[in-house]
Amino acid sequence: MQKATEIKKISIKGAASVEFDDSRRTILEAIEQQQSDINYQCREGYCGACRCKLLNGKIQYLNEPLAFVRQGEFLPCCSVPVTDIDIDIP
């Protein structure tokens, strides 16, 4: 029996919401597919260029980022939502 895809909602402050499902590898990919502007460089958690604020909800890192991340921030290039999330893209 195939597991049903669970869709998470990513609400971006001042922009449209984005849906995250198993067709996307990271939160960054989901944001990009909606043509939302977001800075990024390495896509692996090394540089921190894509740093965003996590306003509500929980994320999980696919691999622990090497870039410095402050309390309340996260890197969408190497994470997935565990719950629906509210974020702020600087």
Side-chain angles (χ1 to χ4, degrees):
M1 180 179 264
Q2 197 172 27
K3 183 180 171 185
T5 301
E6 189 174 342
I7 296 174
K8 306 287 190 310
K9 182 178 173 187
I10 302 170
S11 298
I12 304 169
K13 185 176 180 180
S17 295
V18 175
E19 289 187 347
F20 184 94
D21 60 30
D22 292 342
S23 70
R24 294 164 178 115
R25 192 173 88 72
T26 64
I27 295 170
L28 177 62
E29 285 183 10
I31 292 169
E32 286 179 317
Q33 287 187 348
Q34 295 297 319
Q35 284 90 34
S36 293
D37 288 336
I38 184 168
N39 293 323
Y40 65 89
Q41 287 181 11
C42 73
R43 295 184 164 280
E44 298 294 329
Y46 301 130
C47 71
C50 65
R51 185 177 289 118
C52 293
K53 291 183 181 176
L54 182 62
L55 305 174
N56 191 28
K58 293 182 181 183
I59 60 103
Q60 177 179 343
Y61 284 111
L62 299 172
N63 54 301
E64 198 62 35
L66 294 177
F68 176 73
V69 182
R70 292 182 186 96
Q71 182 75 23
E73 295 180 334
F74 76 103
L75 301 180
C77 70
C78 57
S79 61
V80 295
V82 175
T83 64
D84 290 346
I85 60 174
D86 298 325
I87 67 171
D88 187 9
I89 301 172

